[in-house]
Amino acid sequence: MRPQPIARPLTEAALFMVATVPPDLSDDIRSLLGDAEGLTKAVGFRYPHAQLSCVVGIGSALWDHLSPMLKPKQLHPFIQLHGVVRDAIATPGDLFFHIRAEELGICFELARLLQARLPPGSVIVDEVQGFRYLDQRDLLGFVDGTENPDAGEVLGVAIIGDEDSDFAGGSYATVQKYLHNLTAWNALTTEEQEQAVGRRKLDNVELDEASKPSNAHVALNNIHDDGGEELAIYRLNMPFGSLREGTNGTYFIGYAKDVSVTERMLRNMFLGDPPGNYDRLLDFSTPTTGTLFFCPSLELLQRLAGLSI
Ligand code: HEM
């Protein structure tokens, strides 16, 4: 089974689009699912240098309409968390498009073609245009993505294999849009910021265990199974913002073959590990969306398009 183009590295630009769709217009939705790869080629072929790619995700409720008999084992609505300082909220979303390229204009062109194919009554409930900021930094000023699995490891972390063989080649995408309070963040000293993240700001080196607080972001997200093996996800976060609106954000997207890994990270961040020891980054970051999508293999997308699942 060929996965969708999940395993690629971060690009200069990305466009994230989440839509709700009227489930009774399932013929239109199936035809869009079937054509998404072709539309991506129609744009991307003309600009090979731009490395255009698109991953399509399907939310739990829409999946139930499209394929009531067969469902990925871990596909469910995003699990809300009532956290210590912030809630991880769940928000609507039936279809998700993760469009990436080296140029934003090319992402936008594909998004327009996809939007034109959404059935009448669909609503784009979220659209974010993300950009590379300096040397891969988030808008808190820290390099984001360093400890991601490398090219040889991504498939093993993000793409389903035999554990759910009907859905091999698929992946779970957890998506949250965070807004940062930069006024409060910038009131911290650089050392305090480094303790919140768990890495040094300028040179990106991880703090040693003795100086890394247990509520640092990387401390709470560095997790292991019972046998001591590290549990990882593939993150493709992008910064976004608006000077006029005063928004500074991180669009979090984590791909996993086992979404319980992402969900455990979220519990660590919001509820704390041990309970109450929540992620210090949340004092400065608020999620404004929360969604979970299943991104089928390219073959399964075609089968969904043709009703034959
Ligand atoms: C690491 C930023 C949300 C999972 C990091 C790092 C930064 C960062 C700067 C350190 C460098 C790196 O290894 O990438 C952010 C920001 C977020 C956010 C600004 C949104 C406010 C999340 C969420 C999850 C997550 C929601 C999981 C559900 C991880 C993991 C690591 C990491 C697994 C690597 C930990 C390790 O060192 O082993 N993040 N992150 N992050 N983050 Fe996040």
Side-chain angles (χ1 to χ4, degrees):
M1 291 292 164
R2 288 179 307 141
Q4 295 191 62
I6 289 164
R8 298 189 173 188
L10 283 164
T11 43
E12 287 288 324
L15 195 152
F16 305 92
M17 189 161 76
V18 177
T20 55
V21 293
D24 48 316
L25 295 179
S26 58
D27 285 351
D28 292 3
I29 299 165
R30 287 178 196 284
S31 124
L32 166 55
L33 294 177
D35 289 349
E37 191 188 5
L39 290 172
T40 307
K41 281 187 187 151
V43 179
F45 181 72
R46 293 143 57 199
Y47 309 97
H49 65 279
Q51 297 287 310
L52 177 68
S53 67
C54 175
V55 176
V56 182
I58 300 169
S60 177
L62 177 61
W63 189 281
D64 291 339
H65 280 278
L66 293 177
S67 171
M69 307 300 284
L70 198 58
K71 189 170 186 181
K73 281 185 187 150
Q74 295 182 311
L75 180 57
H76 47 247
F78 180 86
I79 299 174
Q80 308 205 47
L81 296 173
H82 184 51
V84 184
V85 280
R86 303 270 178 250
D87 292 345
I89 58 168
T91 51
D94 292 321
L95 286 177
F96 170 61
F97 300 96
H98 180 197
I99 304 172
R100 287 186 271 166
E102 296 301 318
E103 284 177 32
L104 181 58
I106 294 173
C107 298
F108 195 79
E109 173 66 3
L110 177 58
R112 274 168 22 135
L113 294 177
L114 292 166
Q115 180 200 22
R117 296 290 304 276
L118 289 170
S122 302
V123 178
I124 296 179
V125 288
D126 194 26
E127 178 207 345
V128 163
Q129 299 175 10
F131 50 82
R132 174 170 294 174
Y133 179 56
L134 307 175
D135 48 343
Q136 317 250 33
R137 287 174 192 264
D138 54 39
L139 291 177
L140 300 174
F142 282 76
V143 176
D144 190 358
T146 310
E147 290 293 339
N148 248 338
D150 61 32
E153 299 165 331
V154 174
L155 293 181
V157 162
I159 307 297
I160 296 169
D162 293 340
E163 60 277 17
D164 191 3
S165 51
D166 287 333
F167 296 97
S171 184
Y172 295 94
T174 304
V175 179
Q176 288 180 299
K177 179 161 95 174
Y178 284 88
L179 294 179
H180 302 301
N181 179 347
L182 278 200
T183 309
W185 179 251
N186 289 333
L188 300 183
T189 63
T190 301
E191 288 72 24
E192 288 168 334
Q193 293 181 352
E194 291 175 337
Q195 297 213 320
V197 174
R199 301 185 81 95
R200 290 206 302 248
K201 193 171 186 179
L202 182 61
D203 65 14
N204 187 33
V205 173
E206 189 167 355
L207 301 187
D208 59 39
E209 291 308 314
S211 44
K212 190 194 303 163
S214 62
N215 66 349
H217 180 65
V218 305
L220 287 166
N221 279 300
N222 188 278
I223 61 173
H224 299 86
D225 66 14
D226 293 341
E229 278 291 306
E230 187 172 343
L231 297 171
I233 60 173
Y234 187 46
R235 294 168 288 129
L236 290 164
N237 300 356
M238 292 295 271
F240 66 92
S242 158
L243 298 172
R244 188 177 63 82
E245 291 167 13
T247 48
N248 295 280
T250 296
Y251 206 86
F252 166 80
I253 168 161
Y255 286 104
K257 68 173 178 184
D258 176 358
V259 77
S260 73
V261 173
T262 321
E263 289 168 348
R264 190 169 139 198
M265 291 173 177
L266 287 170
R267 284 198 304 278
N268 281 3
M269 287 176 65
F270 284 81
L271 307 179
D273 180 30
N277 185 48
Y278 68 92
D279 192 323
R280 178 79 167 121
L281 275 193
L282 293 179
D283 285 327
F284 311 93
S285 312
T286 308
T288 59
T289 68
T291 39
L292 172 64
F293 301 96
F294 182 69
C295 309
S297 67
L298 290 167
E299 287 82 2
L300 185 52
L301 264 185
Q302 291 308 324
R303 282 169 54 205
L304 282 169
L307 284 166
S308 65
I309 178 169

